[in-house]
Structures are given as structure tokens and as C-alpha cells.
Amino acid sequence: MQWLKGVGQKRAAALSTAGIDTIEDLIEFFPRRFIDARTVINLGDAQQYLWQSVTVAGTVIGVQQFTYRRPFRTQITIEDKTGVLHLVFFVYSEWIAKQYKVGDGVVAIGAIGFFRGEPQIVHPEFLEKTSESQELAEGKLLPIYPNPQAFKDGYISQVQLRKMFEQVLLSDDFIRVTTEVLPQELISKYQLMERPTAFREMHLPGSPETLSQARRRLIYEELFFLQLRFAVERHRIQATAGRGIGFDVSSLFSVLQSPKPRKPSIISQVIESLPFSLTNAQQRVLSEIATDMSKDHRRIPMHRLVQGDVGSGKTIVALLVMLAAVDNGYQCALMAPTEVLAKQHYLSMSALLKETPIELSLLVGGQPKKLRAEILSELSEGRTNIVIGTHALLEENVIFDKLGMIVADEQHKFGVAQRKILIEKYRDAPPDVLIMTATPIPRTLALTLYQDLDVSTIDELPSGRKQISTTIVMPSAQRGLFTHIREVVKRGEQVYIVYPQLEKSETRDVKTATKAYEVFSEKIFPDLHVGFIHGKLKSADKQAVMSAFRDKQIDILVATSVIEVGIDVANATLMVIGNAERFGLAQLHQLRGRVGRGGKASECILVPSEKLELKPDESVTSEDIESRTASLERLKILERTTDGFEIAKADLALRGPGDFLGTQQSGAVKLKLADIVRDQQILEQAAKDSAQLLEQDPQLRNKEHSATRQELLRLYHQRESFLEVG
Ligand code: ADP
Ligand code: MG
């Protein structure tokens, strides 16, 4: 980016570190907010805005540190023509003191309060130096860009960014990269702002109204291309996939009508042996699946998502569905997210099928070569009816005689990529796919994202489940927590202490948990039985620890998230989760579902990491404070509700949908402006429009669609062949 004035090698490198290498990257680097000059108040009028959030601008006239009494305090005093105001931080901060000097212009946002008769903003939610009080005074909207570390290191300030954009927006390159990419009919239909104007408005807005039109246009564009991509992929799948298998599902239907059907089957035998009866929701979902599988209904292979909260009983549903497929002479594969869970499924299903002729096998890593070869050959000869394993079951060397059904347990990420593999591998008779998840996606969202994915919901828990009460305990209050853990153990109940898995580094994760294990077993609970389980343990060792816990030889089990799904120990009634704020709400909810399984009152305690507690002598920026408060607010959602659906919605709104959009192979889609929760209506519209466009012009060959076609290929780094259906 060195062609820009004021951008030398160093700044270009900083831009590049932040992911900005081309002019396209730069113009898509959108401001994170705007300061609207009309909301800047006169400091002299502060009294009128008591407790309201306002924008203030002024010149620094003093920076003071108060350390003679706790809490320590750092204070920046600003003035404008009408009065003064203090920006107050309850910390001792060298950083703030260095950053702000008398004479600097600053802008801040926050709630007005008063102390000893003078107006103040405590911990402003936004604070920045600016030399543009002039422009603010003229009533312009001032863009505030994200400020990644690379910019701080490369001395790229907000002012410089704004200067850069002023240059860029006048360049010929800008015209070149902002040519229209949406089909003309859609632009007219929605009266969208012209593309170059929209980009210009995003960086140098004329007014709040034009800015909002610009946003609307660019959000629509972003979602349109996202949906167009999904539509193309779906198109390919539908064109390639043969007709699905038509199953005879009468035995499944007849048990749904009456648990003791006139014509007994393996399914009715298994149902009769259960110590419980199916909930209404389980029955409803079973019949939805059966309808999909049935030969009278056949179009393309089943692709159905079953969502149900932790403990809603998805496993038995999966088993009955597989039995229906086996009944038709087909084999089934059940894929669990981890080997531990695969084994657990294998054990519990073996028990349920003990009295039946069903052949079940387990295929996981670490099995002796000979055994593995035997399992594989039984599978390829069709002697095995159901095989349980991990996603390794999809690998080349696993050959089935007649695969009819794949169940992916707890893998909502089982996506387009996996499906493509299946469809290519089993061209003649593609198997049905059932995905199970405790992480519900709002229905409309699921439908828009994967239009051909059907969704069933088990929206009822078996009766007799106890509520799990959840509490946040700050690290500084942990002493009381340790006493509480002792009490629980004294009652004869068991405890999990979990350090959930970080996606990025399992190793670091294991390290944190290992350290915790040492502290707990040696220092805090030397007299109790403390066990440790993590993902890096050998399979046999994991199994051994789990059975010791099940047999109550372990009081307290320290774990990484290997216990996240599926492990069932009824006597465990307390779960403590460390570093809690670093994990998704849905994941935490899933974790706490491990307790409360045995009808005893159970609880979950969330302990955020230490860095979330403000220390009096710590130097912090207002952004730090902002993010800490937000993290705690997020955890409080778990204190308030145990409804997995509510939680998933909140999580989605807070963290964005990254998880749902990513297909493992093509890499996650990052949205720049759009928010698929907030912009759901636009998303649905864009889904319809893109599907319609493909219907008219499946490969975007028409001349008037050529810019759209180019943009699609550019955005997703695809070749021409992406659009060919063969
Ligand atoms: P999840 O949906 O989280 O996978 P599971 O299938 O593991 O839940 O079921 C949790 C527990 O509830 C298991 O012990 C299972 O046997 C039991 N269960 C399943 N269905 C019912 C039911 N209808 N009534 C009572 N208990 C049930
Ligand atoms: Mg499960």
C-alpha cells in the first residue's frame, strides 16, 4: 500500500499485518462506529444529561493520579468554551497519564455523573485523542476505525486512517474496484445506493441518512453473495446426488402408534426393554424422520438436523432410526465427536441390543492392527449392521457393503464439505444423513443458511430432571468455593472441575488444566481423591479414569472439555468451570448439562479468569474495561436461564455465527458488515433473490450477470468450474 502518501514501508507492513494488502481490503475496512457531532454536548449543559450516555469533546487541561487513598484514581480534565468535565478511571494508570497531555483534543463517550458538584464520566466507553474538534463542530460524522495492535505498533492513528481514505476515495483505482456487481434488476427492486457512493459514504458520510442507505446496500450485497455461494453449492449437490434410498419404515411407525404393536420387531423389542417411555417430542421427531426415510416420500437423500437440549434424549432416537434402516438390510454409521464418546455410545447401545441379532462394532484409533482389519472386513462384507466411531468413518479405507444411514452426533458442523464427500463416494445410492446437536440454531436461520436442511426439534426434557442452578464466583472469592466443594464430597457426591477446550491450542489447554490438577490434588484437596482426564491421554487411560469416576473412586475430576458431551455420571452434582469467559455460552451450557442427571439437585459454578477482575493498581484502557464488563454480562445469561435455545440465541447474537457458516474445507466465512441475527430479514430476502437468479441463469452466463459471476469467484477464491454442474 506504499503508493499512498504518508504510507512508508513500516505503515504498509502494519496494514498488511492487519490483513490489508490491496485497495479492496482497505475500502472494506469499515469504521466500527461514528461519532455524530450533533450529539456532542456543551460541557456547561452536563447537568441536563445526568446518567445519559453522551459524547463530549474538549481540550485536556489536566491529568492527575490520586494514590493517597484507595481506590486509586486517574483523572483527565477537559474543557470546552462552556465548562469543564473529568474523565475518571478507578485505576492507577501510567498508560493513560502518558497518552494524554495538556493541550490534546479528545473525544469521549459515556454516562454523565456528578462528584462534588462537578460533572464527570467514569470509565468512558470510548476515549480518543482527536485534532478534529473543528470538523466535529461543523457537524460532520467522524468515523472511528477498529484499532488492532498492528496499528498501534505501526503508528497508524485514526487521523492517519481518515487521511488515507480521503486520498483513496479520489483515486482511479477506487473507481475500478467499486464497479457494480449486483444484477441491475435487484438494484432497482430495492432502490439500492450506487456502489462507489456506498463505499464513499461508509468512510466519509454526508449525513446519518445517507450513511444508513450505504450500510443497507453493502449489507445486502454481502448477504447476497453469501447466499449465492450456498445456492451454487446446493445446486451442485442436488444435481450430483442420485435419488435417495426408499426405506420401508412400517415397523418404526407401528411402535409410534402403539408401544406393543401386533407385529413385533427388533425396534419394538428395544423399546419394550427401555426403563422409560419416549417423550412426546421424541415420538414426534421420530415420525418426522421416518417420513423422510420412507419410500413413498423419496426425492433426494435425507439431510435432517435434530436439535434438542442436553439430556433431551437424542441417542435413543438415533438408535431407533438406525434400527429401521438395518431392518431394510442397510448398514449404519454413527459418528461421535470424540473417541471417548464413541466408546460410551458403543457400550450403552451394546447393552440395549444385547438380546437382538444386531451386530455392532466400534472403530477407533489405537485398536490393534489385527482387530482393526477384522472390523473393516466384517464391515465391507456386510456382517456388521451398525458401526460406531468418529469422523474417521468417512475415510477412504472404510468400505461398507451397503451403507444406508449416517448419524453425526453433536456435530452441527457436519456441513457441506462432508456431504459432498458422501455424495461423491456413494453416487448410486447416497445414504441418508441425520445430524444431532444440542446447539440449536434458530429455525429460520438454519433454513436460510442451508435451504435443504430439514430441522426437527426435541423441545421437551424427560420428566424428573432437576434444574441446575448456576452461579458466577470471582477468583478472589475462591476460598468459599473450596469449602463448598468439600461439603459436596462429604455428602458422598462428586465434582467436576473443568477447563474447557480452546479451539486454538489444545496443548495450552492441557497445560492450564495440568497446573490446576497439581494445585488441587497437592495443595487444596490433598486428602481427597482427585483425578485428571484430558484429550491427550491415551484412549485406554481415559477409559480407566472415567470408570474410576463412575465407580466413585474419584471424588473430584479435573478435566478439559473431553467431558463436554455425552458422559453420564448421575452422582456428579457439582461442576466448576474455570476460565469460563473464554468459552461460548452454548459450550458452557452443554458442559453444565453433565450434572443434574440423577435427580439430585445440582449446580454449576462459573469462575472467570483472574484477568477479568480489575485490580486497583493495574493500568487499563477504556477498551479493556468495556470488554471485561461485556464478558461478565455474557456469563450472567447462564445464571438467568437454563433454556438452551435462549442461550444459543444470545450466544449467536453476541459472538456471531462463525461456527455455523464455516465448512471445514472452504474455511469460515467472515462477514464484514452484516450480522445474520440482526439482519435476518435481509438474509432471507437475499436467499430468495440468489436462488431466483440461479434458476434463471444457473451458471451466470448471461452478459448482464458477468460482473456478479466475477465477484462471486473472486470473493470465494473459486475457479470457473465452481459454477459448472456436471
Ligand atoms: P442427549 O440429547 O444430550 O444426547 P441422551 O440421549 O444422552 O441425551 O439422554 C440422556 C439421558 O436421558 C440418558 O440417560 C437416557 O437414557 C435418558 N432418556 C432418554 N430418553 C428418555 C425418556 N423419554 N425418559 C427418561 N429418560 C430418558
Ligand atoms: Mg448426546
Side-chain angles (χ1 to χ4, degrees), residues 332-373:
C332 303
L334 173 63
M335 304 192 312
T338 64
E339 295 196 344
V340 172
L341 196 58
K343 281 182 197 162
Q344 176 139 345
H345 277 323
Y346 177 71
L347 289 178
S348 63
M349 289 189 177
S350 299
L352 284 169
L353 298 174
K354 208 167 50 214
E355 308 287 324
T356 71
I358 302 289
E359 292 293 334
L360 200 63
S361 74
L362 176 72
L363 191 68
V364 289
Q367 285 169 324
K369 264 210 171 96
K370 210 172 132 219
L371 176 64
R372 189 180 166 83

Side-chain angles (χ1 to χ4, degrees), residues 55-90:
T55 307
V56 296
T59 311
V60 175
I61 56 171
V63 180
Q64 287 163 287
Q65 304 266 21
F66 298 94
T67 55
Y68 52 88
R69 199 168 52 201
R70 286 191 187 260
F72 293 166
R73 188 154 53 99
T74 302
Q75 179 172 298
I76 302 171
T77 305
I78 61 170
E79 71 167 6
D80 67 4
K81 288 192 196 85
T82 62
V84 297
L85 174 135
H86 307 294
L87 302 166
V88 179
F89 298 87
F90 284 106

Side-chain angles (χ1 to χ4, degrees), residues 532-583:
F532 185 30
I533 188 167
H534 58 81
K536 292 257 157 105
L537 277 185
K538 283 212 203 75
S539 240
D541 296 340
K542 271 189 233 168
Q543 215 55 45
V545 176
M546 277 324 297
S547 10
F549 190 61
R550 213 169 285 133
D551 299 342
K552 304 188 189 172
Q553 288 158 12
I554 293 174
D555 302 313
I556 301 172
L557 183 62
V558 178
T560 57
S561 57
V562 284
I563 66 153
E564 186 177 333
V565 276
I567 287 175
D568 222 349
V569 176
N571 192 48
T573 58
L574 171 61
M575 168 164 295
V576 179
I577 304 178
N579 295 342
E581 85 285 0
R582 303 213 325 240
F583 306 96

Side-chain angles (χ1 to χ4, degrees), residues 249-395:
V249 286
S250 52
S251 56
L252 189 49
F253 269 126
S254 64
V255 290
L256 292 174
Q257 274 142 21
S258 121
K260 273 195 182 173
R262 232 174 290 131
K263 213 174 115 211
S265 63
I266 293 177
I267 298 183
S268 66
Q269 193 186 335
V270 168
I271 288 199
E272 237 177 290
S273 73
L274 293 175
F276 51 77
S277 49
L278 297 175
T279 62
N280 288 331
Q282 283 170 318
Q283 295 185 36
R284 194 195 65 240
V285 167
L286 276 168
S287 86
E288 285 167 9
I289 298 169
T291 306
D292 261 9
M293 293 168 69
S294 112
K295 58 176 182 268
D296 310 324
H297 227 257
R298 260 315 166 193
R299 293 156 298 139
I300 53 169
M302 172 168 80
H303 186 215
R304 184 172 281 274
L305 177 78
V306 172
Q307 49 184 31
D309 212 342
V310 184
S312 60
K314 294 184 289 293
T315 317
I316 187 71
V317 169
L319 178 62
L320 296 175
V321 167
M322 292 196 291
L323 291 179
V326 171
D327 206 22
N328 283 260
Y330 285 90
Q331 294 171 295
C332 303
L334 173 63
M335 304 192 312
T338 64
E339 295 196 344
V340 172
L341 196 58
K343 281 182 197 162
Q344 176 139 345
H345 277 323
Y346 177 71
L347 289 178
S348 63
M349 289 189 177
S350 299
L352 284 169
L353 298 174
K354 208 167 50 214
E355 308 287 324
T356 71
I358 302 289
E359 292 293 334
L360 200 63
S361 74
L362 176 72
L363 191 68
V364 289
Q367 285 169 324
K369 264 210 171 96
K370 210 172 132 219
L371 176 64
R372 189 180 166 83
E374 225 167 86
I375 295 170
L376 285 174
S377 80
E378 284 181 358
L379 204 55
S380 66
E381 287 160 18
R383 278 184 281 154
T384 304
N385 304 115
I386 298 176
V387 61
I388 301 178
T390 61
H391 58 269
L393 290 179
L394 287 184
E395 278 166 13

